[in-house]
Amino acid sequence: MIESPLKRLSALGQSVWFDYIRRDLWQGTDLERLIEQDGLAGMTSNPTIFEKAIAGTDLYDDDIRRLTASGLTPTDIVEALAIADVCGAADAFRPLYEATDGNDGYVSIEVGPQLAHDCAGSVAEARRLWNACNRPNVMVKIPATDEGIDAIRRCLSEGININITLLFSVDRYRQVIRAYLEAMEERVAKGQPVDQVRSVASFFVSRVDTNVNAKLDVIAASATSTNHEKALAAHLRGRVAIANARIAYTKFEKTFNGTRYEALRRQGVRIQRPLWASTSAKDPSYPELYYVEALIAPNSIDTMPPETFRTYRDHGHPMIRIHDGISEAHAVFQQLGELRIDEHQVGLDLEEDGARKFRESVEKLLSAVHAKERVINAAAR
């Protein structure tokens, strides 16, 4: 039997996690098969994924009926269903978690997107979700906003596994790494265990190109742009997201091969791996595996939605490419500056847009649960 390209990624040092969760996946044999045959090593969730799973299927209707009868609100019901899915999937991944000494086998659950700019609220909810799941191979997702960075540091210092999400810029990534190192140094100074604390930094990819490409297209089409600007805009299209991720990876390598981390490593602190999120190609003119192939890197993770996962299984060409064109990656951002596109503002806009989209997904999900409650109550009359 020919080994799956997905498994060959693992041999190159890159784990593949599923950007997807649904009850029938972990309740049946599908998840076990994906772990065994394709080397699936983890799973992430977010409000949009849960909205599609809970509102878009009847898999959860019986539980919604039961929880409604017990007097829970739609918000409480959604949380209960999410925790049940995350715990069920985490149990399925537990043997992998133990076999890899806690490096893989994680399932993530996210704090409410309404808390994106609420540090104290994020910390409180992360603690509650962590305790409710009560599994060492769960991670709580907190977005890398200004307020989120401090929440991330505080939660890590308490020994809560954290998946940092909505990360779009290298500047913000530097803050994320700093928060991780500070939290681990705090635990070491207090004599608290560090060897089981894990964190990943979820760096979003394709959304960067979606945002920047729109700006480049305006420049290319503008009558006031010079020929040089138009040519440069056309040249940069589709290059920024990969350049951004590759520069971030060089920061990862420098930090976790540096003296500050070395002192922590000797105390048992593990590296904080970069995780490539949003790696499916949104632009139909790009190959489906455009981002996945470009960002194969040791000590990293790629979260793939089911469609991209299947495509890579069938057509992937595993090879480490993360260092390709690093000098060109830096040039990309110099050229963006020539076109007066502010990379810092792009990151902030994407951060806020991501939080907004997740809030909308939660609102849609709550509305769907409320609608199901009305049907259930009508049927019971």
Side-chain angles (χ1 to χ4, degrees), residues 152-160 183-184 186-187 192:
I152 289 160
R153 182 191 58 76
R154 287 168 60 182
C155 289
L156 285 167
S157 71
E158 294 178 14
I160 300 172
M184 294 302 98
E186 182 177 336
R187 288 185 68 80
Q192 296 171 327

Side-chain angles (χ1 to χ4, degrees), residues 270-348:
R270 305 301 180 94
I271 62 173
Q272 181 191 56
R273 287 188 291 174
L275 180 154
W276 310 127
S278 184
T279 54
S280 58
K282 304 294 190 293
D283 190 317
S285 68
Y286 301 159
E288 190 171 353
L289 300 176
Y290 181 63
Y291 298 108
V292 176
E293 296 285 31
L295 300 179
I296 299 172
N299 295 312
S300 71
I301 302 161
D302 194 320
T303 54
M304 301 183 194
E307 300 80 8
T308 306
F309 187 89
R310 288 191 291 268
T311 300
Y312 206 88
R313 176 200 289 146
D314 296 337
H315 307 296
H317 297 285
M319 180 185 302
I320 293 174
R321 301 183 180 90
I322 192 67
H323 300 107
D324 294 357
I326 283 294
S327 59
E328 291 87 346
H330 289 282
V332 161
F333 285 93
Q334 294 172 355
Q335 292 164 337
L336 274 186
E338 288 182 44
L339 295 176
R340 297 173 296 283
I341 295 177
D342 184 345
E343 61 181 283
H344 177 69
Q345 190 60 49
V346 167
L348 291 177

Side-chain angles (χ1 to χ4, degrees), residues 76-87:
D76 293 334
I77 290 171
V78 166
E79 182 174 295
L81 296 176
I83 288 172
D85 267 10
V86 167
C87 290

Side-chain angles (χ1 to χ4, degrees), residues 366-378:
L366 291 174
S367 295
V369 170
H370 189 59
K372 289 188 177 190
E373 284 182 327
R374 289 199 299 271
V375 171
I376 290 166
N377 290 334

Side-chain angles (χ1 to χ4, degrees), residues 16-32:
V16 177
W17 292 6
F18 232 20
D19 193 22
Y20 179 79
I21 192 168
R22 208 171 75 174
R23 176 159 299 182
D24 53 341
L25 184 63
W26 59 266
Q27 281 188 333
T29 60
D30 287 352
L31 183 53
E32 182 180 341

Side-chain angles (χ1 to χ4, degrees), residues 239-260:
R239 296 174 182 266
V240 177
I242 290 172
N244 195 41
R246 284 175 171 164
I247 292 171
Y249 189 80
T250 64
K251 175 63 178 174
F252 159 75
E253 288 185 305
K254 183 177 181 180
T255 299
F256 290 97
N257 285 297
T259 54
R260 183 178 181 182

